[in-house]
Amino acid sequence: MEINGMTRTCGLLGNPVEHTLSPVIHNTLAELTGINLVYLPFLVEQNLLSDAVQGARALHILGLNVTVPHKEKILPFLSEVDELARRIGAVNTLVSVENGYKGYNTDMPGLYRAMASDGISVEGEEVLLLGAGGVARAVAVMLCDKAKRIIILNRTVEKAAAIAEEVNGYAGYKVAEALKPEEYTSLPGKEYLAIQATNVGMYPHTNEVLIQDMAFYKKIRVGYDLIYNPGETRFMRLVRENGREAFNGLKMLLYQGIIAFELWNNCKITEEQAAVVYKKLQEKL
Ligand code: NAP
């Protein structure tokens, strides 16, 4: 791609940023769509976050992604925050607007679109959500008006209980409940959609898993791990050993990026273009 006087800049604010796959997503999308845009990683120290947002504004940077550890801390520096992002309490995408940047959370719509592309619907499902960290909380918020029931299993059960209480408030009825991981034995039925949103099993600890018992996996109809490195986690292996389908988080990463790119450029990425980017991400991993 030729960089010229009309090239717009987008980028990622984070710390660290060295291992990010976002430049692969956005620079490939720019190439595929012919949009004159370049995407760069920007390492930003926490105490300079406000300066980074002001600087980006001064430089007419079109849009930004935000990653760890800035997703929550950046909120006060934005001129507007989208409703879903406000509920989740974290943004991962900034879009240039008249008075500054508007913050969005494309992680959850990204997960939703990824699941749809894998043929998984959350509507009316009974969901086992493993984890109660930042991402699990966002998943619970996304699910609260869609799923029939959300059971949050977490090592620190108090965190799971706090999320359940919050999403029950949004839903207006008891859609969510909290359990310790070992309490899964009390669950009736065996056709759950399981979403793995803990760090357990992430590279380099690829042999770890939150729940080891095969009896747990017998309750799962389909397993979705938000981890994408490794491509097959131990959680996924155990779901598959039980003859059920399991997916990793690479498509969630892909679609959160695609939705951000669409917001910045007011365009629509086709499934064919998404497939090209997905292949590149797989090659990079
Ligand atoms: P986080 O806020 O740090 O939460 C970590 C979660 O993992 C907590 O529930 C924590 O339990 C649990 N956990 C960590 N170590 C554990 C252990 N040894 N035993 C039992 N539980 C343990 O992390 P996060 O930001 O929510 O991220 C969670 C995962 O989402 C990461 O693995 C990341 O790969 C994935 N992710 C994927 C995408 C994507 O695009 N695919 C995007 C963002 C994140 P406690 O509450 O008990 O500490």
Side-chain angles (χ1 to χ4, degrees):
M1 186 198 110
E2 184 198 319
I3 294 178
N4 55 31
M6 301 292 283
T7 305
R8 298 302 307 266
T9 308
C10 288
L12 172 71
L13 308 183
N15 186 9
V17 290
E18 285 81 1
H19 301 292
T20 177
L21 290 169
S22 291
V24 177
I25 300 176
H26 296 288
N27 291 317
T28 307
L29 287 173
E31 219 174 283
L32 290 171
T33 55
I35 292 172
N36 190 353
L37 178 154
V38 68
Y39 184 100
L40 298 166
F42 297 117
L43 175 70
V44 177
E45 309 289 349
Q46 196 141 308
N47 61 330
L48 295 177
L49 193 53
S50 161
D51 293 358
V53 175
Q54 278 184 46
R57 186 82 193 137
L59 294 171
H60 290 272
I61 288 188
L62 178 66
L64 291 159
N65 283 138
V66 185
T67 188
V68 179
H70 303 318
K71 284 184 173 188
E72 293 94 17
K73 304 230 164 55
I74 204 160
L75 285 165
F77 310 124
L78 305 179
S79 61
E80 291 172 58
V81 180
D82 167 73
E83 177 55 30
L84 176 68
R86 190 169 292 288
R87 266 193 179 188
I88 292 170
V91 302
N92 75 326
T93 299
L94 310 187
V95 177
S96 179
V97 290
E98 207 178 332
N99 301 318
Y101 287 102
K102 179 169 179 178
Y104 291 85
N105 187 305
T106 71
D107 280 331
M108 286 312 112
L111 173 61
Y112 190 74
R113 210 153 133 183
M115 288 180 131
S117 116
D118 287 326
I120 300 166
S121 161
V122 295
E123 263 78 16
E125 285 288 338
E126 297 201 59
V127 182
L128 299 178
L129 176 58
L130 308 189
V135 173
R137 187 175 160 276
V139 174
V141 169
M142 189 261 285
L143 289 175
C144 76
D145 60 351
K146 298 180 177 69
K148 183 172 160 195
R149 189 175 172 209
I150 311 163
I151 300 135
I152 309 167
L153 301 132
N154 197 48
R155 173 179 64 178
T156 313
V157 73
E158 296 76 18
K159 281 169 67 182
I163 295 174
E165 193 182 328
E166 185 186 346
V167 299
N168 287 340
Y170 291 139
Y173 66 99
K174 192 181 170 202
V175 64
E177 63 206 91
L179 290 180
K180 291 179 188 161
E182 60 273 19
E183 286 173 341
Y184 79 84
T185 48
S186 67
L187 292 171
K190 49 180 183 175
E191 288 294 313
Y192 293 94
L193 161 61
I195 301 177
Q196 202 303 113
T198 75
N199 296 331
V200 185
M202 230 165 115
Y203 180 84
H205 306 289
T206 53
N207 215 23
E208 293 178 6
V209 67
L210 184 69
I211 300 172
Q212 312 230 12
D213 318 355
M214 206 54 200
F216 172 69
Y217 295 88
K218 291 199 187 304
K219 292 182 180 289
I220 297 176
R221 181 177 58 78
V222 55
Y224 220 95
D225 200 326
L226 304 192
I227 292 173
Y228 52 82
N229 188 13
E232 186 187 57
T233 60
R234 176 117 187 259
F235 168 83
M236 291 169 63
R237 272 205 306 283
L238 288 165
V239 172
R240 286 173 178 164
E241 274 172 27
N242 196 43
R244 298 304 184 114
E245 272 192 308
F247 301 88
N248 66 28
L250 193 60
K251 273 199 185 164
M252 170 179 168
L253 180 78
L254 168 75
Y255 282 105
Q256 63 74 31
I258 285 179
I259 297 167
F261 191 92
E262 289 174 342
L263 285 168
W264 295 332
N265 297 295
N266 196 20
C267 67
K268 184 82 190 144
I269 298 302
T270 66
E271 285 311 303
E272 290 72 24
Q273 290 167 330
V276 174
V277 182
Y278 187 59
K279 193 155 176 278
K280 274 213 172 181
L281 286 175
Q282 284 177 312
E283 283 162 12
K284 280 279 166 198
L285 278 173

